[in-house]
Amino acid sequence: MQPANIYHVDAFTSVPFSGNQAAVVVLERPADEAWMQRLADDMNLSETAYVVKPQDPVAPDAAWGLRWFTPAAEVDLCGHATLSSAHIVWDERLAPEEEPLRFATRAAGTLTCQRGKHGVIEMDFPADPPQPADAPPAVIEALGVTPVATYRSKYDWIVEVDSPQAVADAEPAFQALGRVPDTRGVAITAPGAFHDSPTTLDGQSPDFVSRFFAPSLRINEDPVTGSLHCVLGPLWSARLDKPALIGHQCSRRSGLVHVTHDKPDADRVTLAGNAVTLVNGIVTRPVVEA
């Protein structure tokens, strides 16, 4: 196999050096899992996405293969690396921008992306409404916060606090969080926004804020977590009685996620945001095929 093209993308932002970082590797054919994991480890970003060109690109429902790896493990779903992948496929003119782009994934089914207004990339993702549940005391202790409510989603614990400032002020004990069993990570969230929160290109202010911690995956704090908004969208849409919302993940890098959950029982959400390419290059070592 020829050396692969690789890109460093900032997602859920239109400003370089903000949002969440992903590496996107474009492959002609599927690659070996061990090779993909080792490259993701070396990239040391929260996610490295591998996109595989359709084997029959003229088929009506031709889909690109898509897999996501943290430095430590493959994951079932990732929003910002999907956004980054769609951005690269279109930006490099590898597929027509005016047509929907389909990604075939191993655990999340087919994810469809399309262009919205202002160049925003809209992604159709599975909804994951959280259920009220008592979080383990170790989670609350490691976060060092006073919870208003706690929830469980498919992958994570969700802790609601009383204000955006309480979200911003949290100083988690990452080592302790990394020992919490049976969870991908822990999120902290609150309704409202900061007086100086960033706004969208339309001038909209955020409806809620969040942060996300996944030290078990060697990601102490993920800057902007698209898949988390599959959970927070349904949560805050129901609580605020508002189907379309803006989430502000107020990490050091910061980013905005548009999220739409049309009905309380809808099993899909639309996540949307911008992306910008920071670096492009070539993986010079041979790609090991699957």
Side-chain angles (χ1 to χ4, degrees), residues 154-239:
K154 182 177 181 180
Y155 301 113
D156 309 311
W157 285 105
I158 314 298
V159 178
E160 179 186 347
V161 293
D162 63 0
S163 70
Q165 196 60 51
V167 174
D169 289 345
E171 296 183 359
F174 295 122
Q175 190 172 17
L177 278 183
R179 291 194 295 265
V180 175
D182 303 321
T183 186
R184 178 185 69 163
V186 176
I188 183 172
T189 187
F194 305 100
H195 69 86
D196 58 350
S197 285
T199 59
T200 68
L201 295 175
D202 288 339
Q204 299 177 68
S205 296
D207 299 286
F208 62 89
V209 301
S210 66
R211 292 171 67 193
F212 183 69
F213 315 105
S216 66
L217 295 175
R218 287 174 46 194
I219 305 168
N220 280 348
E221 179 165 3
D222 195 41
V224 191
T225 313
S227 60
L228 174 64
H229 290 75
C230 297
V231 179
L232 299 182
L235 173 66
W236 291 117
S237 177
R239 292 275 298 279

Side-chain angles (χ1 to χ4, degrees), residues 37-84:
Q37 185 61 70
R38 290 185 69 181
L39 180 58
D41 185 15
D42 263 17
M43 294 307 298
N44 200 33
L45 300 175
S46 56
E47 299 288 346
T48 296
Y50 296 90
V51 294
V52 182
K53 294 181 179 180
Q55 299 307 297
D56 184 7
V58 299
D61 294 324
W64 291 67
L66 178 60
R67 295 174 71 174
W68 313 276
F69 288 76
T70 75
E74 184 174 11
V75 297
D76 289 343
L77 185 66
C78 180
H80 86 278
T82 303
L83 180 70
S84 299

Side-chain angles (χ1 to χ4, degrees), residues 126-151:
D128 184 15
Q131 301 301 313
D134 293 330
V139 168
I140 306 305
E141 183 178 350
L143 285 176
V145 300
T146 301
V148 170
T150 59
Y151 306 85

